[in-house]
Amino acid sequence: QRNMKIEQINKHISTVIVEIKHGNKDILSRLTTIESHLSDSDGRLAAAEAQITSLTSTVAVLHERLNDQENRACRNNLRILGFTEGVEQGNPTCFWEKTLPALLKQPEGTVLSIEWAHRSLAPRPAPGQRPRPFIIKLLRFSIKKLLLKSAQDLGSLEWERHKILFFPDLSKALQDRRRLLLPVKKIL
């Protein structure tokens, strides 16, 4: 009887060992499959990271080109601050054709060749708030330079007790880059 029990126990142990071996084979097969998938995933991840790096540099180049195009499109534009709202009486181009030569003390009959003029596209300010700037597109860059130089030479400009300021029309990105150079200009 004792031998029978030992034989049954040995048989049971052998069966359990066979089951464990079979389970180990299954686990090893699954582990091999997981390692294969992981290797494939690592390859895809590396390819995706390389593509993201490439696309990031492409976007940066395109963003620089866009800023350059925006600044080139505004090359002949002037931005004028200080004129009260409604002073142009619905026709800003005619208003500027008459007002700019007188304001900047240009010779009689100076032709400005204004293509268009309008207020900036911000919402109309409430009374007492700072008025929106005018943006004027001139047909010739040389006229823009002449007007900016005249404004600079005259120094402080006033029109109907309002201080008037002239600026080139630059993109926000270029204005920010120029602002970063101000401390260096002060040192120099």
Side-chain angles (χ1 to χ4, degrees), residues 52-179:
I52 287 170
T53 303
S54 171
L55 291 174
T56 301
S57 65
T58 301
V59 166
V61 167
L62 291 175
H63 189 264
E64 283 299 316
R65 285 184 184 173
L66 179 65
N67 281 337
D68 181 56
Q69 289 298 316
E70 183 179 353
N71 286 314
R72 286 177 190 266
C74 296
R75 182 173 184 249
N76 293 351
N77 292 4
L78 273 178
R79 186 173 286 263
I80 303 175
L81 286 77
F83 282 89
T84 56
E85 290 286 330
V87 73
E88 68 275 13
Q89 298 174 352
N91 194 345
T93 304
C94 286
F95 170 77
W96 286 111
E97 289 279 355
K98 294 173 187 171
T99 306
L100 270 178
L103 181 66
L104 297 174
K105 299 179 177 38
Q106 294 296 309
E108 188 82 20
T110 301
V111 178
L112 297 180
S113 302
I114 295 176
E115 185 174 346
W116 50 254
H118 64 81
R119 293 274 185 179
S120 72
L121 300 178
R124 188 180 189 103
Q129 288 185 325
R130 186 169 43 157
R132 297 172 293 169
F134 273 103
I135 300 170
I136 299 172
K137 179 156 183 90
L138 301 161
L139 290 175
R140 293 194 313 262
F141 181 72
S142 58
I143 298 293
K144 174 193 168 183
K145 283 177 60 175
L146 173 73
L147 295 176
L148 284 173
K149 178 82 171 112
S150 296
Q152 184 179 20
D153 291 345
L154 291 171
S156 180
L157 292 172
E158 284 197 16
W159 188 79
E160 295 182 2
R161 294 182 312 233
H162 295 283
K163 185 176 181 179
I164 307 300
L165 302 170
F166 285 76
F167 298 100
D169 187 28
L170 305 172
S171 70
K172 176 82 170 105
L174 186 56
Q175 288 177 15
D176 292 342
R177 287 198 309 228
R178 284 187 171 190
R179 195 172 297 120

